[in-house]
Amino acid sequence: MTQPPQPPEKPGFGPPPEPEPSRSEQASPPEQPQQAPADPQTPADPQAQPGFGPPPGPAQPPAQQPPSAPGGPDLGKAPQPGYGYPQAPQLPQQSPRTAPQTPPTVPVPGGPQPPPGYGYPQQPPAGYGYPGQPQQPYGQQPYGQQPYGYPHPTVPMQSQSGAPGQPGGGRKVNASLAIIVAAVVAIALIVGAGVWYSSAGGDEKKNTANSGDSGDTKGGEGGNSGGDTAGGDEKAPADPSSEVLFQVPAPKVPKDASTIVTSGSWTTDKVYAKSGVAEVVGYDAVEGDELWTLDLPGPVCEASDHATEDGRTAVIYKPAMPTKTKPQSCTQVAAFDLATGEKLWSETARSGTQEISFNNVTVSGNTVAAASTSGGAAWDITSGKALWAPKTSDACYDSGYGGGPKLVAVRKCGPYDQRQLHIQTIDPKDGKVLSEYKMSEGIEYAAVVSTDPLVVAADVGDSAGDGSGISDFFSIDNKSGALRTRISAPGEEFAARCDGITKIEHCSGLAVGKDRLYIATEEHESGGEGYSRTNEVVAFDLATGKQTGQRADAGDGYTIVPLRMDGDNVIAYKRPPYDKGGQIVSIDGGSFKETKLMENPAEKSVRDVEARMLPQHAEILYSRGRLYMSDVYASTLSSGDKEYLAIAFGTG
């Protein structure tokens, strides 16, 4: 797996080593609030970290280099059990988590604190458009005069004749060759700019993707000429060529903050909703016109990936805009309607006398559940009525929840040096534990990849070594809590990643369905001309833990990333080479045949915007023939080009 910045160091922390209370003890509130220490593993607020912001810019065209033998992961390698092999499952007492109760008192020192590990670069590397400055790696660039969220019509995209492609990394380049290539690129820029300027005339704003001021997740030959994809709702269009539907310019960040979280994006048949700075905005799914705005007093901290069938979801947000002296805490939970933007309710929860600062939030059934090291709570999504709260004690607490078809808690028990994670399937209505699997001691963090079938990812013994948060997957029976199988996923072979520290559901590069785990492999030399890179998607059986032998190739110069399931099929995004547009494909769950659903424009102005939406960092949604790509941060640090919060593509 690729090498993002490493997770924070793990000093000793956690509750003191006392006997774990039984479920019956946990079901009733304590007589008096107890002091529970905050978890030092909660990383620092991103706004206080220099250089913390959007991921690096687009990739460069590949440079020639001496050939090397094509290679890739050993796709036939059998999974190997290693350190921390799980204990036999133990069923819990069937006692409910009571309706709203008062967990122990705990001080809340600050706001949400996303980790500086996977997916959150502390110091973006210098590259195309990113001067290497220690504190401001992207350089200051004033935003345009058009207000954030102003609707933008579809803009025709034209390439700049002779303009070079996007730069990229990871290749070894001979020094002499690099000088020659640089000279050729410089000449191409000059010639290309001249040709473009003369052809654009006085209407140049209409010819680039950067003219925004005008207004559920083989190569190019994998498509067909129409027809339906089997097993899913997404159908292949007669022509998969897409056009830009609209784009949302990057919002202006308040002067007292360098980076603001903009997590959260959702799509329905009529609405595309996206978090901005202290707001959520609903756009017409096709035209991009603003339909509604949900104003908030402070920025969104985290958002649920799930929504109810009738289009209601939830977010965590700060009660006021943060400043350098008052960073604010993520204490507010709100539910809202995606169709209208109506706020259904906003609530807080307390641990003793302190308001809980939440790290994560999810939706399952009609329940909104949020948690952190300070405590957790659950509400009815319609009324905001408090349903239940987990018992936080000196021995155990719920660190987070996975939602969707089922509700799963990751419960941490014991002191730091004897940490044990309990993976609990719970009733979303009353918090009753339905089944429980106890992971081996020493596994400090786990992420919920899927709740039905239940799959959990963990970095056992910190053996992944690449900050991805994954060395193994655990397939667990929801009903009994028994371990079905364990799948070894070495970091050097597979490209999936999870953040099990605070964002329990945050995973990328994989999908789960049809009792299979679909996972992207690491990039490797494709063996084709130009020494380009590629990868594959492979499948594991969740009953046996073995690979099924199925494999979907990205194609020469492409890298493929699973987004979500569509019935029995896998919807995947293909990140393109420097001179092509990205693709959406449907991978048949049986034959593994790829059907091209979308191919984005190859014009440079469009590619520049798309290439900045890295699958490891951005939110990528594909539904009903439309692709939405959006950033999860707004920053004062700029590449110097016009930047976007979101861009939408659609086929005819």
Side-chain angles (χ1 to χ4, degrees):
M1 301 182 191
T2 51
Q3 294 283 343
Q6 298 301 309
E9 295 183 4
K10 306 180 182 68
F13 73 101
E18 292 187 10
E20 178 183 347
S22 66
R23 273 289 156 191
S24 59
E25 293 173 338
Q26 296 173 14
S28 59
E31 296 181 0
Q32 296 180 354
Q34 301 175 358
Q35 190 74 13
D39 194 334
Q41 287 299 326
T42 305
D45 193 303
Q47 299 174 25
Q49 298 180 21
F52 187 91
Q60 295 186 358
Q64 296 293 328
Q65 64 179 13
S68 59
D74 182 1
L75 301 178
K77 182 177 179 180
Q80 298 293 329
Y83 166 77
Y85 196 84
Q87 302 170 345
Q90 302 180 26
L91 294 178
Q93 298 180 14
Q94 302 298 310
S95 56
R97 304 175 181 218
T98 60
Q101 48 185 291
T102 304
T105 305
V106 62
V108 182
Q113 301 160 348
Y118 141 67
Y120 302 97
Q122 300 178 36
Q123 179 67 34
Y128 175 70
Y130 295 84
Q133 301 177 11
Q135 299 300 323
Q136 294 182 335
Y138 301 90
Q140 292 292 335
Q141 174 72 15
Y143 285 91
Q145 299 302 313
Q146 203 73 342
Y148 159 63
Y150 192 85
H152 300 278
T154 302
V155 181
M157 309 296 177
Q158 296 182 5
S159 62
Q160 301 178 13
S161 302
Q166 300 170 7
R171 286 33 165 210
K172 297 179 180 178
V173 182
N174 178 277
S176 299
L177 180 59
I179 295 173
I180 297 173
V181 171
V184 173
V185 169
I187 295 172
L189 277 170
I190 296 170
V191 174
V195 172
W196 174 81
Y197 183 81
S198 63
S199 63
D203 198 22
E204 60 185 9
K205 283 189 176 181
K206 295 183 179 180
N207 295 320
T208 72
N210 296 333
S211 59
D213 290 345
S214 64
D216 139 338
T217 236
K218 298 181 181 177
E221 305 299 326
N224 58 27
S225 300
D228 296 343
T229 59
D233 295 329
E234 302 295 346
K235 311 304 179 183
D239 181 3
S241 299
S242 72
E243 63 178 1
V244 175
L245 298 178
F246 62 91
Q247 55 270 344
V248 179
K252 186 175 181 180
V253 176
K255 63 180 181 179
D256 290 332
S258 61
T259 301
I260 294 290
V261 174
T262 57
S263 291
S265 58
W266 308 264
T267 182
T268 70
D269 58 341
K270 297 180 179 180
V271 175
Y272 169 67
K274 175 61 186 172
S275 296
V277 174
E279 65 181 1
V280 181
V281 181
Y283 303 92
D284 182 280
V286 177
E287 301 297 331
D289 299 327
E290 286 191 24
L291 302 177
W292 51 259
T293 299
L294 172 60
D295 291 316
L296 300 170
V300 172
C301 303
E302 277 300 321
S304 172
D305 293 334
H306 308 286
T308 62
E309 291 183 357
D310 55 355
R312 291 171 293 177
T313 190
V315 295
I316 303 169
Y317 65 95
K318 295 184 176 184
M321 291 302 297
T323 64
K324 293 180 180 179
T325 57
K326 294 182 178 180
Q328 301 295 329
S329 298
C330 298
T331 56
Q332 314 295 307
V333 180
F336 65 96
D337 191 311
L338 288 170
T340 63
E342 176 190 1
K343 183 192 288 187
L344 304 175
W345 50 265
S346 180
E347 296 290 344
T348 62
R350 290 183 176 273
S351 179
T353 60
Q354 296 283 345
E355 287 188 338
I356 297 173
S357 181
F358 295 105
N359 289 332
N360 54 76
V361 64
T362 196
V363 172
S364 181
N366 286 316
T367 297
V368 176
S372 72
T373 59
S374 305
W379 301 268
D380 180 88
I381 197 168
T382 302
S383 65
K385 176 185 176 181
L387 298 177
W388 50 266
K391 174 72 176 297
T392 302
S393 69
D394 288 343
C396 297
Y397 63 91
D398 288 5
S399 62
Y401 302 104
K406 295 185 182 295
L407 186 61
V408 173
V410 177
R411 188 167 178 83
K412 292 189 176 185
C413 293
Y416 171 77
D417 57 351
Q418 292 180 304
R419 179 83 69 200
Q420 187 175 45
L421 303 183
H422 299 193
I423 309 302
Q424 300 175 335
T425 299
I426 59 181
D427 189 325
K429 296 180 180 179
D430 58 15
K432 179 181 178 181
V433 178
L434 304 176
S435 67
E436 180 177 62
Y437 170 69
K438 294 183 179 180
M439 305 186 80
S440 296
E441 289 186 6
I443 301 177
E444 300 172 34
Y445 305 104
V448 179
V449 177
S450 167
T451 61
D452 188 20
L454 178 53
V455 179
V456 171
D459 187 356
V460 179
D462 297 325
S463 57
D466 61 353
S468 64
I470 304 173
S471 67
D472 296 83
F473 293 94
F474 297 81
S475 174
I476 302 167
D477 187 282
N478 278 107
K479 295 181 179 179
S480 67
L483 179 69
R484 300 177 66 198
T485 190
R486 175 176 169 177
I487 299 170
S488 176
E492 68 272 12
E493 296 184 20
F494 298 100
R497 55 185 66 220
C498 290
D499 176 7
I501 299 177
T502 58
K503 302 178 182 180
I504 302 301
E505 288 188 292
H506 190 82
C507 294
S508 64
L510 45 73
V512 173
K514 199 182 176 182
D515 212 30
R516 299 283 190 272
L517 168 65
Y518 302 93
I519 182 170
T521 67
E522 274 288 0
E523 292 183 33
H524 55 83
E525 295 289 345
S526 68
E529 296 182 1
Y531 314 109
S532 59
R533 311 279 288 179
T534 190
N535 76 327
E536 301 80 28
V537 169
V538 297
F540 287 88
D541 189 306
L542 290 176
T544 66
K546 297 180 180 179
Q547 287 195 38
T548 64
Q550 298 165 307
R551 184 171 105 174
D553 295 320
D556 190 20
Y558 289 85
T559 54
I560 189 169
V561 180
L563 297 179
R564 64 172 176 86
M565 298 301 297
D566 177 37
D568 290 343
N569 300 339
V570 181
I571 300 297
Y573 172 70
K574 286 188 175 182
R575 183 168 168 81
Y578 72 95
D579 57 348
K580 298 182 183 296
Q583 297 179 1
I584 293 291
V585 297
S586 176
I587 304 172
D588 186 276
S591 67
F592 249 50
K593 177 185 177 182
E594 295 180 39
T595 300
K596 189 192 301 182
L597 303 181
M598 175 180 286
E599 182 164 19
N600 293 335
E603 282 83 356
K604 182 181 182 301
S605 58
V606 182
R607 298 196 323 262
D608 284 348
V609 179
E610 180 179 1
R612 287 187 172 89
M613 303 293 183
L614 299 176
Q616 300 91 335
H617 307 279
E619 294 170 343
I620 302 178
L621 305 177
Y622 178 82
S623 180
R624 304 172 181 86
R626 300 187 292 267
L627 172 65
Y628 305 94
M629 308 179 77
S630 64
D631 208 345
V632 294
Y633 291 99
S635 176
T636 57
L637 307 176
S638 172
S639 66
D641 295 328
K642 178 70 178 180
E643 295 183 0
Y644 293 93
L645 178 65
I647 185 169
F649 299 90
T651 54

